[in-house]
Amino acid sequence: DESSDDGAYIEDEEAEVEKDWTSMRESEQWLLDTGHFSDVTVSCGPRSYKLHKAILARESTFFRDKFLDPHETEDPMLDYDDEDFEGLLAMIYNAGLMQQKFEDTVLARMMELKIEAEK
């Protein structure tokens, strides 16, 4: 039966795409971990994070609007708990491949920063 072979092929193809997507995001984790090539510093509570405008703007319309606004001359300062923000960064840089618990507070912050959960 040819249709059952097609289904197996599609599943294999989807698994391969997922594997490729995960490996692409591993390099973004390196950027987050090292801060190399960062072009923006985001302050959150007592900590500052060396981040990347292109990655933040790709995932968040909040950041995209801030970075495109010619009147915004200072780096963003956010009033969040460090752990909440680090959870958001894990989601942004790893496409949801977080190694910590995905708490309701992270979802609330995603909504505030206009980050789409499907990405």
Side-chain angles (χ1 to χ4, degrees), residues 7-75:
Y9 174 77
I10 291 170
E11 287 179 17
D12 290 344
E13 186 77 18
E14 289 172 355
E16 194 63 33
V17 167
E18 185 65 30
K19 186 174 113 185
D20 289 345
W21 184 252
T22 301
S23 66
M24 282 191 312
R25 291 297 182 122
E26 286 173 2
S27 60
E28 290 181 2
Q29 179 63 44
W30 176 80
L31 291 171
L32 179 61
D33 291 343
T34 64
H36 289 325
F37 310 110
S38 66
D39 56 356
V40 65
T41 300
V42 177
S43 298
C44 182
R47 296 201 51 205
S48 293
Y49 301 87
K50 291 180 171 258
L51 304 174
H52 307 84
K53 288 181 180 180
I55 294 172
L56 295 174
R58 176 191 67 205
E59 300 295 333
S60 166
T61 55
F62 169 84
F63 283 115
R64 186 177 317 123
D65 293 346
K66 249 188 182 332
F67 299 147
L68 291 175
D69 185 345
H71 303 294
E72 288 281 345
T73 57
E74 294 184 17
D75 285 346

Side-chain angles (χ1 to χ4, degrees), residues 79-102:
D79 186 25
Y80 296 142
D81 179 73
D82 285 356
E83 288 183 25
D84 289 352
F85 190 62
E86 287 175 8
L88 285 171
L89 290 177
M91 195 219 58
I92 289 170
Y93 278 78
N94 296 305
L97 305 174
M98 297 175 29
Q99 297 185 6
Q100 65 186 47
K101 186 177 176 198
F102 199 16

